[in-house]
Amino acid sequence: MEAIVMYPSPGIGHLISMVELGKLILSRHPSFSIIILNSTVPFNTGSTGPYICHVTATLPSITFYDLPAIPLTLDPDSYPSIAAATFDILRLSVPNARLALESISLSTSIVSFIIDLFCMPALTIGSELSIPTFCFFSSGASCLACYLYLPTVHRNTTRSFKDLNMLLHFPGVPPLPSSGMPPIILERSFVTYQPFINFLIQMPKSAGIIVNTFESLEPRALKAISDGLCVSDNPTPPVFCLGPLIASDDRQRSGDREECLKWLDLHPSRSVVFLCFGSLGLFSKEQLEDIAIGLERSGKRFLWVVRSPPPVDKNELFFVPPDPDLDLLLPAGFLDRTRDRGFVVKSWAPQVAVLNHDSIGGFVTHCGWNSVLEAVCAGVPMVAWPLYAEQRLNKVFLVEEMELALPMNESEGGFVTADEVAKRVTELMDLEEGKRVASQAKQAREGARAAMSSNGSSLAALAELVESWKLN
């Protein structure tokens, strides 16, 4: 049997989208097997353990190969962020990934090695073992256009992005504020800056780039990439748009978290706004209070996923936060006053099922790309409230390019006031601005369905990708 080996970055979002890529490949080419190299890390990456168990139990053609753990002493002085620790683990894991590929190839013919952007240190393994190696880019094509061009920006200035205080112009996307670059590269002195730039320099040297998007969603960015405008010193490799790759809502759910779906059944069509901010999206107590006040002032029905605030002890940033104490975190009496029109869920909700529920009329999101695509596939308009990673870039793309979201505007220091929350929720659910993005969301949903249809662009790109493997 021929195998495709995949190497995702640690983190539930990266893992899910790569598993979905494997499922898509198997749905059209069941003769392949999928082997996923799994990095064991000593910090919180979301609920990867239960998810891997679920995939193993339900999808026998997808197996996981656990790489040996890399011992790290996690302290904020050595690793100021999870990204810094992740980069070190993936760099140190290259010999183990090579051994894994050599071991797998003893019994199986490996037709392709697909690596996450953050696993780019493993790119050389494929060439050394004569295995075609592709980069899997789990965000969208607009972000990809920006990232491919970032090494050019890096070469043209010696200043840090945080100090530029200007709009940056990238091929195929709207102008981007320099302060909106991913946090890991805002300052050139950050330990994550140079490794990340190196990943981006190496990415065009792969055999191709697989992107979790579809052609009609981001045509301008894709044209800029295919025209060679984003990579200045190398040929641009083939780009394969195989999205939208989103998880079906078949993961096990339990307890009162299922109650939110029953609660949604009680409310009219398109009447509820859903607020959820990803597995790593945490707010201070003060910010949670203003969100609550804003929701109450808006008078709209809402379903809100609340997580505990960031820990005071920086060492605890690496570990799973406890479930929130809603009585301590939210304004006194808020839950009682909004009981008839609001539902607050602790820590987690079945997001795909929620977004596809008829009662949902809008989504306040952190702009993580998986969440964006889930909203697109459900035809739900958004309010963009980015928090980390590339999400500030995604906000610009969603608001200015795709017109699928309204912006949540921050005050000084990144705080969002109760008045802003109330204003944006009201606009999204009631006013012309919301109707405009809702109309765009419906069109995007149809585009997503068309891309994955039998004659669609994403399935055509998959066929082209698989054909390239056969030629090697």
Side-chain angles (χ1 to χ4, degrees):
M1 178 175 285
E2 294 179 321
I4 300 154
V5 178
M6 298 182 171
Y7 189 15
S9 171
I12 188 67
H14 291 262
L15 177 61
I16 287 175
S17 56
M18 197 165 268
V19 167
E20 291 302 317
L21 172 60
K23 288 164 65 174
L24 175 65
I25 293 170
L26 291 173
S27 71
R28 311 296 291 189
H29 304 276
S31 62
F32 288 130
S33 64
I34 305 291
I35 301 171
I36 297 178
L37 304 186
N38 180 44
S39 302
T40 305
V41 297
F43 49 80
N44 176 31
T45 56
S47 52
T48 53
Y51 177 72
I52 288 172
C53 290
H54 173 73
V55 172
T56 300
T58 56
L59 297 167
S61 293
I62 298 180
T63 58
F64 291 84
Y65 189 111
D66 291 334
L67 299 178
I70 302 295
L72 287 186
T73 301
L74 292 177
D75 68 85
D77 292 331
S78 299
Y79 297 107
S81 65
I82 288 178
T86 300
F87 286 8
D88 231 15
I89 285 174
L90 294 174
R91 176 180 61 82
L92 294 169
S93 293
V94 169
N96 293 329
R98 182 189 176 100
L99 288 173
L101 284 180
E102 290 174 338
S103 175
I104 293 166
S105 63
L106 292 176
S107 57
T108 305
S109 174
I110 302 174
V111 298
S112 180
F113 185 35
I114 301 175
I115 62 176
D116 188 278
L117 169 64
F118 298 115
C119 299
M120 200 53 63
L123 180 65
T124 57
I125 300 173
S127 58
E128 291 165 2
L129 299 179
S130 300
I131 301 171
T133 303
F134 293 77
C135 175
F136 177 61
F137 193 75
S138 57
S139 195
S142 299
C143 186
L144 175 62
C146 173
Y147 278 11
L148 287 171
Y149 195 74
L150 269 176
T152 300
V153 179
H154 163 75
R155 287 190 294 269
N156 289 340
T157 182
T158 58
R159 299 173 64 192
S160 294
F161 288 116
K162 73 177 184 64
D163 298 325
L164 288 176
N165 192 30
M166 62 186 291
L167 288 174
L168 299 175
H169 296 272
F170 296 85
V173 300
L176 298 166
S178 54
S179 59
M181 291 300 111
I184 59 175
I185 57 168
L186 279 177
E187 172 61 67
R188 283 186 175 233
S189 64
F190 286 173
V191 296
T192 48
Y193 179 89
Q194 194 58 53
F196 186 69
I197 294 296
N198 289 341
F199 297 164
L200 303 182
I201 292 170
Q202 293 299 313
M203 182 165 46
K205 299 176 183 178
S206 63
I209 302 172
I210 301 166
V211 194
N212 188 8
T213 192
F214 53 98
E215 290 182 3
S216 66
L217 185 65
E218 304 178 87
R220 195 161 73 97
L222 286 167
K223 185 176 189 307
I225 296 169
S226 64
D227 286 349
L229 302 180
C230 300
V231 182
S232 60
D233 54 355
N234 275 297
T236 302
V239 172
F240 303 91
C241 297
L242 302 189
L245 299 168
I246 62 170
S248 56
D249 193 49
D250 58 358
R251 283 182 286 167
Q252 192 172 13
R253 305 187 299 270
S254 61
D256 61 0
R257 289 165 183 173
E258 188 74 11
E259 289 298 309
C260 67
L261 297 175
K262 297 177 182 177
W263 181 84
L264 286 172
D265 291 339
L266 305 175
H267 297 280
S269 176
R270 305 290 180 241
S271 68
V272 178
V273 62
F274 177 45
L275 299 92
C276 190
F277 301 93
S279 56
L280 300 177
L282 307 180
F283 291 115
S284 67
K285 182 179 187 298
E286 293 73 20
Q287 184 65 86
L288 290 171
E289 288 176 344
D290 264 50
I291 295 173
I293 294 167
L295 289 173
E296 189 168 1
R297 285 181 186 169
S298 76
K300 303 304 166 194
R301 295 178 176 88
F302 64 87
L303 171 61
W304 179 20
V305 180
V306 173
R307 294 185 170 84
S308 292
V312 176
D313 184 349
K314 289 186 178 180
N315 286 291
E316 295 180 12
L317 286 170
F318 294 100
F319 305 106
V320 180
D323 270 355
D325 185 330
L326 299 180
D327 291 328
L328 288 177
L329 293 173
L330 303 182
F334 168 77
L335 294 173
D336 287 333
R337 292 192 301 273
T338 60
R339 187 175 303 278
D340 291 340
R341 61 180 179 84
F343 194 97
V344 178
V345 182
K346 294 181 180 181
S347 300
W348 182 87
Q351 183 164 291
V352 173
V354 168
L355 287 170
N356 282 279
H357 196 286
D358 183 63
S359 293
I360 295 297
F363 181 28
V364 182
T365 174
H366 65 308
C367 304
W369 193 246
N370 286 349
S371 293
V372 167
L373 288 181
E374 288 167 6
V376 165
C377 290
V380 175
M382 291 167 268
V383 171
W385 186 347
L387 300 176
Y388 53 90
E390 86 289 6
Q391 293 161 13
R392 292 187 183 279
L393 304 179
N394 289 341
K395 175 185 178 180
V396 175
F397 307 145
L398 287 169
V399 172
E400 298 183 21
E401 185 77 8
M402 304 175 203
E403 299 183 332
L404 296 173
L406 304 178
M408 189 73 85
N409 294 322
E410 299 171 336
S411 305
E412 193 71 27
F415 193 83
V416 173
T417 65
D419 285 344
E420 176 68 8
V421 172
K423 174 185 176 182
R424 292 305 181 189
V425 167
T426 301
E427 285 181 345
L428 185 68
M429 302 301 287
D430 278 353
L431 304 183
E432 285 302 315
E433 296 92 332
K435 293 177 183 177
R436 174 177 55 82
V437 293
S439 175
Q440 288 292 108
K442 290 178 183 177
Q443 291 183 38
R445 178 185 60 193
E446 296 311 309
R449 290 174 177 173
M452 284 295 190
S453 67
S454 57
N455 295 315
S457 60
S458 292
L459 293 188
L462 175 61
E464 183 183 349
L465 176 64
V466 173
E467 189 63 30
S468 75
W469 297 340
K470 295 177 181 178
L471 297 176
N472 284 280

